[in-house]
Amino acid sequence: MNFETAFAHYQAHTATAEETALVERELEKYRLIEDYLAEQELPELPEDAAAAASAETKAVKRRLNRRTRNIVLISTAAVLAVVLLLQLVVSPLLNRRVYTDGLVDGSGYPTFDVGMSALAGLYMPLGDYYGSYAEHSGFMRDTLHLTFYDRTGSNRFHIQTQTGLSLGHIGQLNSGDLHAIGYMYSGFFYDNRNPGRNDVWSGDTGQAALDALPEYMRLTSAVSFHKVLTVDELADIMARHPDVDFLSANVWVDGAYNYDSLHCSLQHMMLAYGDDLEEDYPGMQLQEYKNLTGEDITQHFRAMVQYLADHPEVAKAGPDEPYRYKEMLLNLEEDGLEVLGLWVQGTPDQITALLDEELVRSVGNYDARIQLWT
C-alpha cells in the first residue's frame, strides 16, 4: 500500500481502516524520533568564538572604511592638484605664448602687440592698434582689453574692444566694435576686378558732394578706380598729391578670403617697435611713409603678412585662417599686389584734385569733420 496515497486519504477523512492504521503507525514513529532529539543536549557556539568573530568583522569593516576614506581623499587631492596645475601653471604658460606685456623669445619687441599692429595694417584701413592689457576673468581664462586708434576722429577716446584667451587660444576680434575703422566692412569701392557684376554707372564721380563742402572740413574718403592698379601706379598718384593723407589701399592677392576686407596701410604704425623688428621684418613699420615707391608698398605688405604667417597663435584673432598668410606670400611673389581702391584724408579741394587723375573713377565721402588746424 502506498503511504503517500494513504496519507492523502487520511487528511481528506476518506481513508479506509487499513490506510488509517498505516498512517498512524508512521506518525507514531515520528513522535518517538522527535522526543529522542528533544532529550539530547546539542553543543552551543562558545561565547568567546562568537565575540572573536564579531570583533574580526568589525576590524575588517574599519579597515575597509579607512581604505575607502583614503581613496576618496587621495582622489580629491589629485583632482584639486590637476585643477591648480591647469589654473596656476599650464594655463599661464600657454597664454604667455600668445600674450605678454614684455619681450619674449629673446626678441626686442612684444610679439602680441606687433601681431595686432599687423592685423590693423591689413584689415583696419581707418585705424591702428594702440595697446592692450590682460585681466584674469575665470577658470583658465583671461580677457584681453584692446585699444585701437581711430584715424577719422569719430571716436575721441579711441575704440575699446575685448577678446578671450584660454589655454593659448585667442578669440577673434569683435567686428562690431571695430566697425568704425573699417574692420571687415565692405562695399565702399567700385568692383573693378569684376566689372561685369556692376550696374550701369550713373556717371556720378562725387564732385557735386565735394563742391558743397566748405574748405575748413576734413574728409575721410574712399577713392575708386576704373581698373585694377599696380603698386607703381598707386605710388605715382601718391607722389602727385603730397598734400593728401593716404591712409590705406584696398588690395588683393590670391589666398585671402575676401578682397573687400584686405588692405595695406600707407601710414607708419602708431607704436614704435624699434630696430630689432625692422631687422627681422624690413619695412613693416613703414617708418618713412612719405614718397613711397611701389616696392616700398609691396615690402610693407609682405612684412605684415610674413609676421602673421610666423605667429599663427596671434593671427587667429584676425578674419583669415593662419594658413592663408602663407598662401598670400606665395601668390604675392608670383602675381604681385593688386590695388582696388584707396582711403584718403584731406580738404574738399585736395580730394577733388584726385578726380583729375585719369585712373580715378569716383570719390565717396565716409566722414567729414571740421578741421581745427591748417
mmCIF file of all heavy atoms in Angstrom, residues 166-191:
data_model
loop_
_atom_site.group_PDB
_atom_site.id
_atom_site.type_symbol
_atom_site.label_atom_id
_atom_site.label_comp_id
_atom_site.label_asym_id
_atom_site.label_seq_id
_atom_site.Cartn_x
_atom_site.Cartn_y
_atom_site.Cartn_z
ATOM 1 N N SER A 166 42.328 81.571 -23.686
ATOM 2 C CA SER A 166 42.211 80.404 -22.818
ATOM 3 C C SER A 166 43.091 79.278 -23.336
ATOM 4 O O SER A 166 42.987 78.883 -24.500
ATOM 5 C CB SER A 166 40.750 79.938 -22.751
ATOM 6 O OG SER A 166 40.618 78.792 -21.942
ATOM 7 N N LEU A 167 43.986 78.796 -22.470
ATOM 8 C CA LEU A 167 44.892 77.701 -22.819
ATOM 9 C C LEU A 167 45.624 77.955 -24.137
ATOM 10 O O LEU A 167 45.786 77.066 -24.969
ATOM 11 C CB LEU A 167 44.126 76.377 -22.878
ATOM 12 C CG LEU A 167 43.641 75.825 -21.527
ATOM 13 C CD1 LEU A 167 42.822 74.561 -21.732
ATOM 14 C CD2 LEU A 167 44.818 75.537 -20.604
ATOM 15 N N GLY A 168 46.047 79.188 -24.327
ATOM 16 C CA GLY A 168 46.833 79.529 -25.509
ATOM 17 C C GLY A 168 46.034 79.767 -26.766
ATOM 18 O O GLY A 168 46.621 79.955 -27.839
ATOM 19 N N HIS A 169 44.705 79.779 -26.665
ATOM 20 C CA HIS A 169 43.865 80.018 -27.840
ATOM 21 C C HIS A 169 43.173 81.370 -27.697
ATOM 22 O O HIS A 169 42.437 81.604 -26.725
ATOM 23 C CB HIS A 169 42.827 78.903 -28.000
ATOM 24 C CG HIS A 169 43.426 77.572 -28.299
ATOM 25 N ND1 HIS A 169 43.851 77.211 -29.564
ATOM 26 C CD2 HIS A 169 43.688 76.507 -27.506
ATOM 27 C CE1 HIS A 169 44.351 75.995 -29.531
ATOM 28 N NE2 HIS A 169 44.260 75.540 -28.293
ATOM 29 N N ILE A 170 43.397 82.239 -28.659
ATOM 30 C CA ILE A 170 42.829 83.577 -28.615
ATOM 31 C C ILE A 170 41.527 83.633 -29.413
ATOM 32 O O ILE A 170 41.384 82.970 -30.443
ATOM 33 C CB ILE A 170 43.843 84.615 -29.167
ATOM 34 C CG1 ILE A 170 43.365 86.047 -28.889
ATOM 35 C CG2 ILE A 170 44.104 84.398 -30.648
ATOM 36 C CD1 ILE A 170 44.404 87.095 -29.220
ATOM 37 N N GLY A 171 40.572 84.398 -28.912
ATOM 38 C CA GLY A 171 39.315 84.579 -29.628
ATOM 39 C C GLY A 171 39.462 85.607 -30.744
ATOM 40 O O GLY A 171 40.397 86.399 -30.765
ATOM 41 N N GLN A 172 38.530 85.588 -31.673
ATOM 42 C CA GLN A 172 38.585 86.535 -32.788
ATOM 43 C C GLN A 172 38.174 87.930 -32.342
ATOM 44 O O GLN A 172 37.403 88.105 -31.392
ATOM 45 C CB GLN A 172 37.678 86.064 -33.921
ATOM 46 C CG GLN A 172 38.240 84.885 -34.707
ATOM 47 C CD GLN A 172 37.526 84.693 -36.028
ATOM 48 O OE1 GLN A 172 36.311 84.704 -36.089
ATOM 49 N NE2 GLN A 172 38.280 84.506 -37.095
ATOM 50 N N LEU A 173 38.702 88.919 -33.047
ATOM 51 C CA LEU A 173 38.350 90.311 -32.767
ATOM 52 C C LEU A 173 36.874 90.550 -33.070
ATOM 53 O O LEU A 173 36.303 89.936 -33.969
ATOM 54 C CB LEU A 173 39.221 91.250 -33.607
ATOM 55 C CG LEU A 173 40.722 91.203 -33.317
ATOM 56 C CD1 LEU A 173 41.471 92.058 -34.325
ATOM 57 C CD2 LEU A 173 41.018 91.659 -31.903
ATOM 58 N N ASN A 174 36.284 91.458 -32.324
ATOM 59 C CA ASN A 174 34.865 91.774 -32.470
ATOM 60 C C ASN A 174 34.678 92.786 -33.601
ATOM 61 O O ASN A 174 35.034 93.958 -33.457
ATOM 62 C CB ASN A 174 34.325 92.332 -31.150
ATOM 63 C CG ASN A 174 32.825 92.494 -31.152
ATOM 64 O OD1 ASN A 174 32.235 92.937 -32.137
ATOM 65 N ND2 ASN A 174 32.187 92.145 -30.059
ATOM 66 N N SER A 175 34.125 92.336 -34.715
ATOM 67 C CA SER A 175 33.975 93.211 -35.876
ATOM 68 C C SER A 175 32.993 94.348 -35.599
ATOM 69 O O SER A 175 33.123 95.435 -36.158
ATOM 70 C CB SER A 175 33.513 92.405 -37.095
ATOM 71 O OG SER A 175 32.291 91.743 -36.833
ATOM 72 N N GLY A 176 32.004 94.107 -34.730
ATOM 73 C CA GLY A 176 31.055 95.167 -34.404
ATOM 74 C C GLY A 176 31.721 96.330 -33.691
ATOM 75 O O GLY A 176 31.458 97.497 -33.986
ATOM 76 N N ASP A 177 32.617 96.019 -32.751
ATOM 77 C CA ASP A 177 33.325 97.083 -32.025
ATOM 78 C C ASP A 177 34.237 97.876 -32.946
ATOM 79 O O ASP A 177 34.461 99.079 -32.740
ATOM 80 C CB ASP A 177 34.164 96.482 -30.888
ATOM 81 C CG ASP A 177 33.313 95.897 -29.771
ATOM 82 O OD1 ASP A 177 32.104 96.225 -29.715
ATOM 83 O OD2 ASP A 177 33.849 95.116 -28.963
ATOM 84 N N LEU A 178 34.799 97.223 -33.956
ATOM 85 C CA LEU A 178 35.817 97.851 -34.814
ATOM 86 C C LEU A 178 35.255 98.312 -36.151
ATOM 87 O O LEU A 178 36.003 98.670 -37.058
ATOM 88 C CB LEU A 178 36.953 96.853 -35.045
ATOM 89 C CG LEU A 178 37.627 96.334 -33.759
ATOM 90 C CD1 LEU A 178 38.616 95.224 -34.095
ATOM 91 C CD2 LEU A 178 38.334 97.470 -33.037
ATOM 92 N N HIS A 179 33.940 98.333 -36.249
ATOM 93 C CA HIS A 179 33.280 98.711 -37.496
ATOM 94 C C HIS A 179 33.686 100.109 -37.952
ATOM 95 O O HIS A 179 33.894 100.355 -39.143
ATOM 96 C CB HIS A 179 31.764 98.640 -37.287
ATOM 97 C CG HIS A 179 30.966 99.064 -38.472
ATOM 98 N ND1 HIS A 179 30.627 98.199 -39.483
ATOM 99 C CD2 HIS A 179 30.422 100.271 -38.802
ATOM 100 C CE1 HIS A 179 29.918 98.858 -40.400
ATOM 101 N NE2 HIS A 179 29.779 100.098 -40.002
ATOM 102 N N ALA A 180 33.835 101.040 -37.003
ATOM 103 C CA ALA A 180 34.101 102.441 -37.351
ATOM 104 C C ALA A 180 35.432 102.626 -38.066
ATOM 105 O O ALA A 180 35.603 103.598 -38.818
ATOM 106 C CB ALA A 180 34.064 103.307 -36.091
ATOM 107 N N ILE A 181 36.392 101.721 -37.856
ATOM 108 C CA ILE A 181 37.687 101.872 -38.524
ATOM 109 C C ILE A 181 37.837 100.882 -39.688
ATOM 110 O O ILE A 181 38.935 100.560 -40.111
ATOM 111 C CB ILE A 181 38.858 101.727 -37.528
ATOM 112 C CG1 ILE A 181 38.756 100.436 -36.726
ATOM 113 C CG2 ILE A 181 38.895 102.920 -36.589
ATOM 114 C CD1 ILE A 181 39.933 100.216 -35.771
ATOM 115 N N GLY A 182 36.680 100.416 -40.187
ATOM 116 C CA GLY A 182 36.664 99.663 -41.437
ATOM 117 C C GLY A 182 36.948 98.188 -41.323
ATOM 118 O O GLY A 182 37.121 97.520 -42.347
ATOM 119 N N TYR A 183 36.988 97.652 -40.103
ATOM 120 C CA TYR A 183 37.298 96.232 -39.951
ATOM 121 C C TYR A 183 36.162 95.372 -40.491
ATOM 122 O O TYR A 183 35.026 95.476 -40.047
ATOM 123 C CB TYR A 183 37.550 95.912 -38.478
ATOM 124 C CG TYR A 183 37.956 94.480 -38.217
ATOM 125 C CD1 TYR A 183 39.156 93.987 -38.722
ATOM 126 C CD2 TYR A 183 37.154 93.635 -37.466
ATOM 127 C CE1 TYR A 183 39.550 92.672 -38.475
ATOM 128 C CE2 TYR A 183 37.540 92.319 -37.212
ATOM 129 C CZ TYR A 183 38.732 91.848 -37.727
ATOM 130 O OH TYR A 183 39.117 90.547 -37.492
ATOM 131 N N MET A 184 36.477 94.534 -41.457
ATOM 132 C CA MET A 184 35.520 93.606 -42.072
ATOM 133 C C MET A 184 34.314 94.343 -42.659
ATOM 134 O O MET A 184 33.196 93.833 -42.650
ATOM 135 C CB MET A 184 35.064 92.552 -41.055
ATOM 136 C CG MET A 184 36.161 91.633 -40.583
ATOM 137 S SD MET A 184 36.941 90.741 -41.945
ATOM 138 C CE MET A 184 35.581 89.720 -42.476
ATOM 139 N N TYR A 185 34.546 95.567 -43.132
ATOM 140 C CA TYR A 185 33.452 96.329 -43.726
ATOM 141 C C TYR A 185 33.711 96.463 -45.211
ATOM 142 O O TYR A 185 34.821 96.787 -45.637
ATOM 143 C CB TYR A 185 33.357 97.714 -43.075
ATOM 144 C CG TYR A 185 32.028 98.389 -43.299
ATOM 145 C CD1 TYR A 185 30.908 97.998 -42.573
ATOM 146 C CD2 TYR A 185 31.880 99.405 -44.234
ATOM 147 C CE1 TYR A 185 29.684 98.602 -42.771
ATOM 148 C CE2 TYR A 185 30.664 100.014 -44.439
ATOM 149 C CZ TYR A 185 29.570 99.614 -43.703
ATOM 150 O OH TYR A 185 28.350 100.211 -43.906
ATOM 151 N N SER A 186 32.706 96.201 -46.021
ATOM 152 C CA SER A 186 32.900 96.183 -47.465
ATOM 153 C C SER A 186 31.851 97.060 -48.157
ATOM 154 O O SER A 186 30.917 97.561 -47.541
ATOM 155 C CB SER A 186 32.815 94.748 -47.988
ATOM 156 O OG SER A 186 31.540 94.197 -47.697
ATOM 157 N N GLY A 187 32.036 97.223 -49.460
ATOM 158 C CA GLY A 187 31.052 97.933 -50.262
ATOM 159 C C GLY A 187 31.392 99.371 -50.573
ATOM 160 O O GLY A 187 30.579 100.091 -51.157
ATOM 161 N N PHE A 188 32.588 99.825 -50.213
ATOM 162 C CA PHE A 188 32.934 101.224 -50.446
ATOM 163 C C PHE A 188 33.487 101.466 -51.845
ATOM 164 O O PHE A 188 33.440 102.594 -52.356
ATOM 165 C CB PHE A 188 33.973 101.690 -49.425
ATOM 166 C CG PHE A 188 33.391 101.980 -48.066
ATOM 167 C CD1 PHE A 188 33.622 101.134 -47.009
ATOM 168 C CD2 PHE A 188 32.592 103.093 -47.856
ATOM 169 C CE1 PHE A 188 33.089 101.391 -45.762
ATOM 170 C CE2 PHE A 188 32.055 103.362 -46.622
ATOM 171 C CZ PHE A 188 32.303 102.510 -45.566
ATOM 172 N N PHE A 189 34.023 100.426 -52.475
ATOM 173 C CA PHE A 189 34.750 100.640 -53.722
ATOM 174 C C PHE A 189 34.052 99.974 -54.909
ATOM 175 O O PHE A 189 33.388 98.947 -54.763
ATOM 176 C CB PHE A 189 36.182 100.086 -53.598
ATOM 177 C CG PHE A 189 36.969 100.717 -52.495
ATOM 178 C CD1 PHE A 189 37.171 100.048 -51.297
ATOM 179 C CD2 PHE A 189 37.491 101.993 -52.639
ATOM 180 C CE1 PHE A 189 37.894 100.617 -50.275
ATOM 181 C CE2 PHE A 189 38.211 102.577 -51.626
ATOM 182 C CZ PHE A 189 38.412 101.898 -50.436
ATOM 183 N N TYR A 190 34.242 100.573 -56.052
ATOM 184 C CA TYR A 190 33.787 100.001 -57.314
ATOM 185 C C TYR A 190 34.503 98.668 -57.534
ATOM 186 O O TYR A 190 35.722 98.554 -57.364
ATOM 187 C CB TYR A 190 34.094 100.974 -58.449
ATOM 188 C CG TYR A 190 33.941 100.410 -59.848
ATOM 189 C CD1 TYR A 190 32.678 100.125 -60.362
ATOM 190 C CD2 TYR A 190 35.053 100.177 -60.646
ATOM 191 C CE1 TYR A 190 32.538 99.618 -61.647
ATOM 192 C CE2 TYR A 190 34.927 99.679 -61.927
ATOM 193 C CZ TYR A 190 33.658 99.396 -62.424
ATOM 194 O OH TYR A 190 33.523 98.892 -63.691
ATOM 195 N N ASP A 191 33.768 97.654 -57.891
ATOM 196 C CA ASP A 191 34.323 96.311 -58.045
ATOM 197 C C ASP A 191 35.027 96.205 -59.397
ATOM 198 O O ASP A 191 34.503 95.631 -60.351
ATOM 199 C CB ASP A 191 33.207 95.268 -57.925
ATOM 200 C CG ASP A 191 33.749 93.848 -57.876
ATOM 201 O OD1 ASP A 191 34.988 93.684 -57.922
ATOM 202 O OD2 ASP A 191 32.944 92.905 -57.796
#
